[in-house]
């Protein structure tokens, strides 16, 4: 097998990246080279020496969680069944396929580092799954993100064994049928294999990483759309002056200011606006810059998670060490995901306020109310503006930090928990609403020029407007705009221009 990774493959010998998690939503080649095979084999061989050792090894010779003081099942197969069966307590809708597959890629990479003592065929079997469209059906609710994402990953492991349900080509099937149709063999697991599959925060890490990618795309789009708003209204771009932003002292604002100045190069103020713009324009570099600083923090957490091993215990053959500890505790991602939610709320509020400014004739330099081509006979962006209010209300309702909500469980074995899974999946959901808010603002800017705003004077702003105009017809006469909002979001958020 070749071990050279490309844009369409993932090499388990190198740290994972967020783009690789995004690619895992579709079939992708996962490569396990000789170095991976060697360290997995070395870890497994060391595990084999521990069965007759007097040292206690969690999950190998013991029960699980609060029942660690009791002996486990006598055979590896029974220990596997015991591990997974009691965790079959999840509820709710299935996770999005993109999250489920990204989570399993994170889990595969962690196991491939050789510190978990898993069988070699576990890593190769997981790698084979990624070449197909197979997706385990994983219920959303059940993890506290502390001893790993135990319950959701147990459903994934069961599906890979041919139990429970899975998706193939988007169709939900009994897992055994999905495996057969995909040409995959059911995974055979012993107790250590099963425990290693569930004992990591891979769902939390994956959802946080995917949410971060989406929020970053929306952040970039909103930066561009703010510039287009400035140009369409004829505002003075002096609020992004390099000397002004430099004096503010924050690196994120400096980066955003540089981006906005590039976008606004060639913008000519109309002279018809007030000396000082509302804060949704004038303070946008500071707001977007603070978001950039927060996103850089999340970047670091996600990179560390993607390059770290999440399991318990870990096995270090060279040191003859079985290390019991807490590398399955998802506190870093919990904090990062909560930060992402707060950033989403601030960015969403900015987009909603900018659209509100744009549709208001008292503040939009005389454009018709709601950007209607014939006010009264038509209603323009009125429905869209109502929807954005609902979107931002939904975001705000969900921003309460999950990472502060610790509740003891498991007979106080897990007496503190991070709730990172809840934080991550919440951030993933809110990122979709932020994307729609960006699409709504983009649609408003496209319509503004149709009803009397000037064509942008900065070349890059004009290019963005032209991309929107090519994708979306003017709202004249009124029509349902739900699809137009999604199209506009695709243009500006998915770098479609």
């Amino acid at each position: 097998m070749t071990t050279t990774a490309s844009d369409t493959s993932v090499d388990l010998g190198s740290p994972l990246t967020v783009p690789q998690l995004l690619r895992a939503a579709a079939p992708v080649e996962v490569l396990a080279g000789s170095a991976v095979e060697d360290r997995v084999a070395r870890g497994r061989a060391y595990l084999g020496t521990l069965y007759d050792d007097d040292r206690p090894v969690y999950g190998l010779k013991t029960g699980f969680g609060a029942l660690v003081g009791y002996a486990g099942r006598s055979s590896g197969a029974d220990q596997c069944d015991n591990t997974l069966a009691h965790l079959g307590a999840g509820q709710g809708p299935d996770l999005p396929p993109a999250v489920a597959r990204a989570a399993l890629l994170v889990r595969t990479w962690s196991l491939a580092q050789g510190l978990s003592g898993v069988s070699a065929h576990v890593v190769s079997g997981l790698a084979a799954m990624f070449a197909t469209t197979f997706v385990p059906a994983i219920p959303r609710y059940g993890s506290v993100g502390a001893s790993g994402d135990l319950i959701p990953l147990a459903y994934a492991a069961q599906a890979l064994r041919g139990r429970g349900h899975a998706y193939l080509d988007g169709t939900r099937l009994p897992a055994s049928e999905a495996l057969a149709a995909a040409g995959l063999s059911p995974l055979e697991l012993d107790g250590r294999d099963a425990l290693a599959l569930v004992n990591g925060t891979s769902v939390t890490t994956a959802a946080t990483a995917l949410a971060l990618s989406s929020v970053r795309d929306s952040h970039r789009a909103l930066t561009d759309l703010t510039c287009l708003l400035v140009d369409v209204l004829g505002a003075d771009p002096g609020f992004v002056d390099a000397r002004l932003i430099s004096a503010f002292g924050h690196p994120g604002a400096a980066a955003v200011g540089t981006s906005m100045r590039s976008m606004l190069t060639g913008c000519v103020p109309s002279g018809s606006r007030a000396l000082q713009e509302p804060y949704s324009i004038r303070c946008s570099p500071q707001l977007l810059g603070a978001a950039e600083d927060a996103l850089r923090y999340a970047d670091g957490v996600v990179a560390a998670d993607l390059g770290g091993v999440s399991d318990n215990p870990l096995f270090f053959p060279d040191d003859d060490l079985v290390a019991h500890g807490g590398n399955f505790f998802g506190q870093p991602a919990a904090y990062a995901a909560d930060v992402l939610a707060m950033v989403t709320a601030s960015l969403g509020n900015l987009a909603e306020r900018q659209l509100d400014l744009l549709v208001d004739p008292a503040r939009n330099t005389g454009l018709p109310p709601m950007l209607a081509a014939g006010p009264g006979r038509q209603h323009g962006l009125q429905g869209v503006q109502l929807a954005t209010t609902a979107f931002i209300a939904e975001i705000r309702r969900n921003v309460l930090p999950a990472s502060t909500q610790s509740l003891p469980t498991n007979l106080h074995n897990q007496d503190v928990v991070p709730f990172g899974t809840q934080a991550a999946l919440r951030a993933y959901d809110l990122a979709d609403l932020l994307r729609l808010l960006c699409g709504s603002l983009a649609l408003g800017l496209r319509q503004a020029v149709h009803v009397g705003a000037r064509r942008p004077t900065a070349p890059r702003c004009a290019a963005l407007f032209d991309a929107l105009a090519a994708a979306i017809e003017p709202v004249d006469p009124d029509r349902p705009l739900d699809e137009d909002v999604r199209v506009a979001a695709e243009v500006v958020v998915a770098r479609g221009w």
Side-chain angles (χ1 to χ4, degrees):
M1 176 187 295
T2 178
T3 60
T4 301
S6 69
D7 288 342
T8 58
S9 65
V10 177
D11 184 354
L12 296 176
S14 302
L16 281 179
T17 65
V18 175
Q20 288 173 333
L21 297 190
L22 293 168
R23 289 202 298 273
V28 63
E29 184 181 21
V30 175
L31 307 171
S34 58
V36 170
E37 293 169 355
D38 289 347
R39 65 188 179 224
V40 170
R42 192 163 61 251
R44 186 65 175 183
Y46 177 65
L47 182 80
T49 70
L50 299 172
Y51 286 96
D52 297 324
D53 195 305
D54 291 337
R55 285 176 291 179
V57 179
Y58 173 72
L60 195 67
K61 307 173 183 180
T62 71
F64 306 108
L67 305 183
V68 65
Y70 297 85
R73 303 283 180 96
S74 58
S75 80
D78 283 349
Q79 189 77 329
C80 167
D81 288 340
N82 191 32
T83 303
L84 300 177
H86 85 279
L87 294 173
Q91 300 290 348
D94 292 337
L95 292 180
V99 174
R101 281 179 62 99
L104 280 178
L105 184 57
V106 174
R107 198 82 218 110
T108 303
W109 188 93
S110 183
L111 300 179
Q113 305 318 298
L115 300 180
S116 293
V118 297
S119 307
H121 73 264
V122 173
V123 175
S124 61
L126 286 165
M129 183 213 75
F130 285 103
T132 75
T133 62
F134 184 91
V135 187
I138 302 173
R140 177 176 182 128
Y141 301 117
S143 178
V144 297
S147 291
D149 292 310
L150 293 170
I151 285 176
L153 288 174
Y155 279 84
Q158 292 284 52
L160 290 162
R161 298 173 76 203
R163 308 183 185 193
H165 290 82
Y167 294 86
L168 190 71
D169 297 328
T171 300
R172 200 176 196 269
L173 302 167
S176 57
E177 294 180 20
L179 286 171
L184 299 171
S185 299
L187 274 185
E188 295 184 5
L189 307 174
D190 65 12
R192 179 57 209 159
D193 293 332
L195 184 59
L197 275 168
V198 305
N199 227 14
T201 52
S202 301
V203 174
T204 300
T205 296
T208 302
L210 296 180
L212 171 61
S213 176
S214 181
V215 174
R216 270 215 164 277
D217 285 345
S218 291
H219 177 268
R220 177 200 51 77
L222 188 53
T223 302
D224 292 344
L225 289 170
T226 299
C227 293
L228 182 56
L229 175 65
V230 168
D231 203 346
V232 163
L233 292 179
D236 191 324
F239 65 93
V240 297
D241 183 276
R243 293 156 296 187
L244 176 70
I245 302 299
S246 177
F248 190 53
H250 291 271
V256 167
T258 298
S259 177
M260 293 182 75
R261 286 192 298 277
S262 174
M263 188 76 178
L264 286 166
T265 297
C267 177
V268 179
S270 67
S272 59
R273 301 286 297 177
L275 173 63
Q276 295 197 129
E277 290 289 344
Y279 285 10
S280 60
I281 292 177
R282 184 171 22 130
C283 299
S284 59
Q286 289 76 18
L287 189 158
L288 291 162
E292 173 63 24
D293 286 331
L295 292 174
R296 290 179 181 183
Y297 160 72
D299 288 340
V301 172
V302 166
D305 262 16
L306 294 181
V309 175
S310 176
D311 201 352
N312 176 59
L314 297 183
F315 304 92
F316 299 89
D318 294 344
D319 302 311
D320 189 23
L321 173 66
V322 180
H324 293 85
N327 279 14
F328 50 32
F329 196 80
Q331 195 74 60
Y335 286 151
D338 279 344
V339 167
L340 283 176
M342 290 187 287
V343 168
T344 299
S346 292
L347 295 179
N349 188 67
L350 179 64
E352 187 274 337
R353 288 292 83 200
Q354 288 179 344
L355 180 62
D356 184 76
L357 183 158
L358 189 61
V359 300
D360 183 357
R363 294 177 291 151
N364 66 15
T365 321
L367 299 176
M370 293 298 172
L371 304 179
R377 292 177 292 105
Q378 297 190 44
H379 294 81
L381 272 287
Q382 184 161 275
V384 170
Q385 199 260 343
L386 284 170
T388 62
T389 304
F391 298 159
I392 194 60
E394 183 69 12
I395 291 173
R396 289 179 180 178
R397 189 177 64 83
N398 283 282
V399 169
L400 178 70
S403 60
T404 63
Q405 306 302 311
S406 179
L407 289 170
T409 187
N410 198 232
L411 301 184
H412 289 262
N413 169 50
Q414 298 180 29
D415 57 348
V416 292
V417 299
F419 285 124
T421 323
Q422 285 83 350
L425 292 173
R426 181 268 314 275
Y428 181 86
D429 292 342
L430 298 188
D432 284 342
L433 290 174
L434 178 58
R435 182 186 178 98
L436 293 175
L437 283 160
C438 289
S440 300
L441 176 59
L443 178 61
L445 287 162
R446 190 269 176 269
Q447 178 70 1
V449 175
H450 176 68
V451 295
R454 71 179 192 177
R455 176 177 169 78
T457 57
R460 290 190 60 200
C461 289
L464 173 53
F465 172 78
D466 288 342
L468 288 167
I472 303 165
E473 292 295 320
V475 184
D476 189 1
D478 287 341
R479 64 174 185 273
L481 296 174
D482 48 0
E483 178 63 21
D484 294 87
V485 167
R486 294 190 291 271
V487 169
E490 183 69 17
V491 172
V492 298
V493 177
R495 297 179 172 88
W497 65 282

